[in-house]
Amino acid sequence: MLLSHLITLAVLQGLTEFLPISSSAHLILTPRLLGWSDQGLAFDVAVHVGTLSAVVLYFRTELRRMAMEWFASVSGRGTGPEGRLAWAVLLGTIPVGLAGLLLKDWVETVLRSPLVIAWATIGFGVLLGLADWLGKRVRNEHSLGVLDVLFIGIAQALALIPGTSRSGATMTAGLMLGLTREAAARFSFLLSIPVIVLAGALEIKGLIQSPDAVHWPTLIGGALVSAVSAFACIHFFLKWIARLSMWPFVVAPYPVGAGARNRSRRFFL
């Protein structure tokens, strides 16, 4: 892989994993639209490791408190707000875990097309805009009940459709439930941790079974670049979103969706 390709794809993964725009759409379409060779499964694993390390590092203090209170609740010593938030993250992961196991082959074959990516990218961008416009934005992530968490979890499962942003889907659901923009973003980022772990485990399984050779400098470089870009993305997004709206992310996916749709037309014609 050329260094310019490595940096471009790793930065895209780091940014789009946590912004409400689709990381899968960018990783699939960028090489196709630019005429690059496919980056391969090993590189996808590496950049996911990078984004995982970034979100864990950024939320290290919250994660430590959540873990302590969660273990306290398991041992019968009571549950505080951070412990309940930990349970919410685990509960919200169940829908996407089940959907991933049941629909993995279908998602990776039938739905991995430019046309699906185009309509999913544009359609879920519109839903995000409506949720941001109509949502009351008065609740925080600690106010989520069981049904709220399951609703967000089901929205996250829809992000298995290529072109659908995982963070965009979960933030949209959170805004629909009345969360503030900051609360919807924070819960989305925390919810990403077990999802990235599960997705990474499946990708590593495929990597182990693959006969292709592993080029470690490329993988390490991709992981480092994606980690830096993801950490910066989380930091600045949480500061920025408190003052501005989600509308830039409603408009931003349109060129990607339009490009995918045009490519699909050329393919069919």
Side-chain angles (χ1 to χ4, degrees):
M1 179 182 290
L2 294 177
L3 181 61
S4 59
H5 296 187
L6 182 154
I7 293 173
T8 300
L9 293 175
V11 168
L12 277 176
Q13 169 62 23
L15 295 177
T16 58
E17 181 66 41
F18 298 111
L19 292 178
I21 50 180
S22 173
S23 61
S24 62
H26 285 79
L27 283 182
I28 293 170
L29 289 176
T30 298
R32 293 186 182 183
L33 294 175
L34 297 179
W36 300 350
S37 59
D38 186 85
Q39 65 270 22
L41 178 61
F43 188 81
D44 287 351
V45 172
V47 293
H48 275 86
V49 170
T51 53
L52 175 63
S53 62
V55 70
V56 169
L57 180 62
Y58 190 87
F59 288 104
R60 60 191 181 278
T61 303
E62 291 89 338
L63 290 171
R64 183 166 57 248
R65 290 199 300 264
M66 289 168 63
M68 291 174 61
E69 292 192 13
W70 184 83
F71 281 113
S73 71
V74 171
S75 60
R77 290 183 282 124
T79 305
E82 300 298 336
R84 288 192 292 272
L85 186 59
W87 280 112
V89 169
L90 294 176
L91 177 61
T93 305
I94 292 175
V96 72
L98 293 175
L101 290 173
L102 295 174
L103 305 175
K104 180 176 182 294
D105 293 337
W106 188 57
V107 168
E108 292 181 349
T109 54
V110 177
L111 296 183
R112 198 177 175 90
S113 74
L115 189 61
V116 172
I117 292 171
W119 288 112
T121 300
I122 295 171
F124 279 91
V126 172
L127 287 177
L128 175 64
L130 290 174
D132 190 51
W133 180 36
L134 299 174
K136 295 181 179 179
R137 302 198 297 273
V138 295
R139 302 173 62 188
N140 63 29
E141 65 270 31
H142 294 286
S143 69
L144 293 171
V146 172
L147 294 180
D148 297 329
V149 172
L150 287 175
F151 180 71
I152 296 174
I154 291 170
Q156 181 171 237
L158 292 176
L160 290 172
I161 302 171
T164 306
S165 166
R166 188 211 62 82
S167 56
T170 51
M171 288 183 204
T172 298
L175 290 169
M176 287 179 176
L177 294 171
L179 293 183
T180 65
R181 295 183 184 121
E182 306 95 297
R186 283 195 300 270
F187 188 68
S188 173
F189 295 159
L190 292 172
L191 202 58
S192 74
I193 295 173
V195 171
I196 296 174
V197 170
L198 291 173
L202 288 175
E203 289 177 342
I204 289 171
K205 179 183 176 183
L207 181 60
I208 292 173
Q209 296 172 346
S210 173
D212 297 334
V214 175
H215 189 256
W216 289 107
T218 297
L219 303 190
I220 294 171
L224 289 174
V225 173
S226 67
V228 172
S229 64
F231 190 93
C233 171
I234 296 170
H235 177 74
F236 289 108
F237 180 75
L238 287 175
K239 289 183 177 297
W240 177 79
I241 201 62
R243 298 189 297 272
L244 300 175
S245 74
M246 293 284 189
W247 280 95
F249 303 105
V250 177
V251 177
Y254 184 80
V256 176
R261 186 177 57 187
N262 291 337
R263 181 176 178 83
S264 178
R265 284 177 178 171
R266 288 197 300 270
F267 174 78
F268 286 112
L269 292 173

